[in-house]
């Protein structure tokens, strides 16, 4: 007979196993947006991240109250300026210096800033051509301030690809190829990934007659897409590998990809949105990216940010308001962390 204390130890270990797996060094984070009028205080939020053992956070602009709460937390921070500031950084080193000296330098002794995202989904678009020069000037400002571990990158939407199916045909639009090539050259120098937003939900919900729920939510048991020697069991991998193929086509296959946002909404577009679907997608995604690369990059465990920490009631529509793991009360929308 197993002694009671041993049974208790094993039971406790089993209960802790999901949490331990989240804290084993894999590169997982959660985005923290503030488009809500009922959200908890930044101190409460950062404490929630720590309780959930979420070691990486992405914020969309340098909110001073959030940065103060992050001091000494040990959480790695990915941060970006407002999109509307990018043009000034591209044309003025002084503007880039001012931004770094205001928003990074005062906190740099107490916060690990991992990546600065110069542009959130501004390519393609009128601001996109400013991104390479802005990245270089922010990079210069960091160097002048003696901050060497923080790297610059940008965040691309799926629309940056003119072609994405099959994944091997992935290619950037001809109107942005020069800009992306300039960005990739900077990233290759730094050994820094390009960040992409990946949302199988939107592809599935817009075309359910051609995209199955199983393919979108990692539950397919057979390959759905066979692309040469690559087999795709899930849409997430196919979407990521389309970017990998596009980078290869501009001779920057050495630049890695990381996921800046991915998630699944719990309400607003039934039957595609539901708590069950969100839980299934996010749980299966977590298990997948902690253990596997994509067919095109099988040995690369990709840094991934889930979208997002809270439901945000000031977002534009009901679907966008319901991506959160938590309600503003900090009660979980469903068990996860």
């Amino acid at each position: 007979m197993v002694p009671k204390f041993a049974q208790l130890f094993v039971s406790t270990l089993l209960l802790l196993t999901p949490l331990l797996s989240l804290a084993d060094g894999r590169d997982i984070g959660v985005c923290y947006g503030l488009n809500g009028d009922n959200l908890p205080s930044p101190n409460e939020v950062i404490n929630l991240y720590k309780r959930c053992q979420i070691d990486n956070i992405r914020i969309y602009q340098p909110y001073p109250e959030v940065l103060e709460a992050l001091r000494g937390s040990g959480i790695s921070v990915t941060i970006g300026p407002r999109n509307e500031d990018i043009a000034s950084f591209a044309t003025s080193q002084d503007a880039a210096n001012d931004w770094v000296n205001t928003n990074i330098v005062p906190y740099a002794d107490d916060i690990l800033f991992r990546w600065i995202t110069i542009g959130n989904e501004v390519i393609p678009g009128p601001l996109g051509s400013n991104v390479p020069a802005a990245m270089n000037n922010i990079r210069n400002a960091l160097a002048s301030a003696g901050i060497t571990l923080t790297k610059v990158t940008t965040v691309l939407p799926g629309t940056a690809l003119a072609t994405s199916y099959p994944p091997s045909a992935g290619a950037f639009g001809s109107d942005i190829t020069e800009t992306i090539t300039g960005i990739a050259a900077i990233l290759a120098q730094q050994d820094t990934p390009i960040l992409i937003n990946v949302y199988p939900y939107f592809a599935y919900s817009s075309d359910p007659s051609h995209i199955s729920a199983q393919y979108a939510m990692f539950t397919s048991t057979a390959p759905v897409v066979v692309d040469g020697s690559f087999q795709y069991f899930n849409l997430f991998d196919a979407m990521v590998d389309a970017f990998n193929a596009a980078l290869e086509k501009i001779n920057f296959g050495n630049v890695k990809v990381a996921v800046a946002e991915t998630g699944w909404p719990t309400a607003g577009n039934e039957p595609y949105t539901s708590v069950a679907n969100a839980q299934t997608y996010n749980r299966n995604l977590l298990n997948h990216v902690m253990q596997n690369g994509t067919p095109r990059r099988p040995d690369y465990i990709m840094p991934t940010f889930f979208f997002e920490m809270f439901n945000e009631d000031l977002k534009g529509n009901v679907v966008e308001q319901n991506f959160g793991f938590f309600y503003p009360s900090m009660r979980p929308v469903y068990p996860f962390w």
Side-chain angles (χ1 to χ4, degrees):
M1 179 179 292
V2 180
K4 285 188 176 180
F5 76 89
Q7 294 176 10
L8 179 62
F9 173 78
V10 171
S11 298
T12 303
L13 187 61
L14 289 173
L15 285 171
L16 287 175
T17 297
L19 288 177
L20 291 172
S21 70
L22 292 177
D24 70 352
R26 297 303 189 190
D27 218 340
I28 301 298
V30 179
C31 300
Y32 171 28
L34 282 86
N35 289 316
D37 59 9
N38 54 359
L39 296 173
S41 72
N43 282 325
E44 291 174 306
V45 172
I46 301 311
N47 284 332
L48 180 60
Y49 270 76
K50 291 193 287 188
R51 287 200 304 274
C52 294
Q53 297 187 322
I54 301 167
D55 294 332
N56 300 282
I57 190 171
R58 180 183 174 209
I59 57 177
Y60 293 85
Q61 58 180 283
Y63 301 101
E65 64 274 21
V66 175
L67 293 173
E68 287 296 335
L70 280 162
R71 285 189 189 272
S73 66
I75 296 171
S76 171
V77 178
T78 293
I79 186 173
R82 300 177 307 163
N83 285 344
E84 53 264 40
D85 293 334
I86 294 170
S88 66
F89 300 159
T91 56
S92 169
Q93 184 64 59
D94 286 343
N97 293 345
D98 288 346
W99 190 89
V100 168
N101 289 331
T102 300
N103 299 299
I104 302 298
V105 172
Y107 306 96
D109 289 342
D110 304 308
I111 296 175
L112 172 58
F113 291 103
R114 183 181 190 181
W115 295 322
I116 297 177
T117 54
I118 307 302
N120 182 44
E121 296 194 331
V122 299
I123 304 169
L127 292 173
S129 61
N130 293 295
V131 171
M135 287 174 64
N136 269 326
N137 284 345
I138 291 290
R139 192 179 176 198
N140 293 338
L142 292 168
S144 296
I147 297 171
T148 58
L149 298 178
T150 303
K151 307 300 182 183
V152 297
T153 183
T154 193
V155 180
L156 300 179
T159 53
L161 297 179
T163 308
S164 60
Y165 182 86
S168 62
F172 296 110
S174 58
D175 56 326
I176 63 170
T177 298
E178 182 179 351
T179 297
I180 297 292
T181 302
I183 290 167
I186 298 168
L187 298 177
Q189 291 173 8
Q190 300 179 127
D191 191 23
T192 304
I194 197 163
L195 273 56
I196 62 173
N197 291 341
V198 184
Y199 283 103
Y201 161 76
F202 288 111
Y204 162 58
S205 64
S206 65
D207 193 12
S209 61
H210 293 102
I211 298 172
S212 70
Q214 292 78 15
Y215 189 48
M217 289 189 274
F218 296 89
T219 58
S220 176
T221 57
V224 176
V225 172
V226 177
D227 184 13
S229 61
F230 302 122
Q231 295 185 337
Y232 291 90
F233 290 74
N234 65 80
L235 181 54
F236 175 88
D237 279 351
M239 295 172 83
V240 171
D241 269 353
F243 274 93
N244 283 320
L247 286 165
E248 291 171 13
K249 288 181 176 65
I250 60 169
N251 299 314
F252 279 103
N254 59 321
V255 171
K256 295 182 173 68
V257 169
V259 175
E261 290 180 12
T262 189
W264 198 285
T266 54
N269 186 23
E270 290 72 15
Y272 312 111
T273 58
S274 69
V275 167
N277 285 353
Q279 190 171 30
T280 297
Y281 175 80
N282 283 326
R283 176 57 63 191
N284 289 340
L285 174 66
L286 178 66
N287 291 336
H288 181 70
V289 298
M290 287 176 63
Q291 301 176 56
N292 304 292
T294 65
R296 209 171 189 91
R297 300 285 186 272
D299 299 322
Y300 170 53
I301 301 300
M302 188 166 45
T304 300
F305 285 94
F306 286 83
F307 187 83
E308 62 179 332
M309 200 63 168
F310 295 100
N311 285 345
E312 296 179 83
D313 67 345
L314 298 181
K315 283 289 189 72
N317 60 58
V318 177
V319 167
E320 291 181 359
Q321 293 170 9
N322 284 282
F323 274 88
F325 287 109
F326 294 91
Y327 295 107
S329 66
M330 297 197 294
R331 179 171 64 89
V333 177
Y334 50 89
F336 194 82
W337 303 103

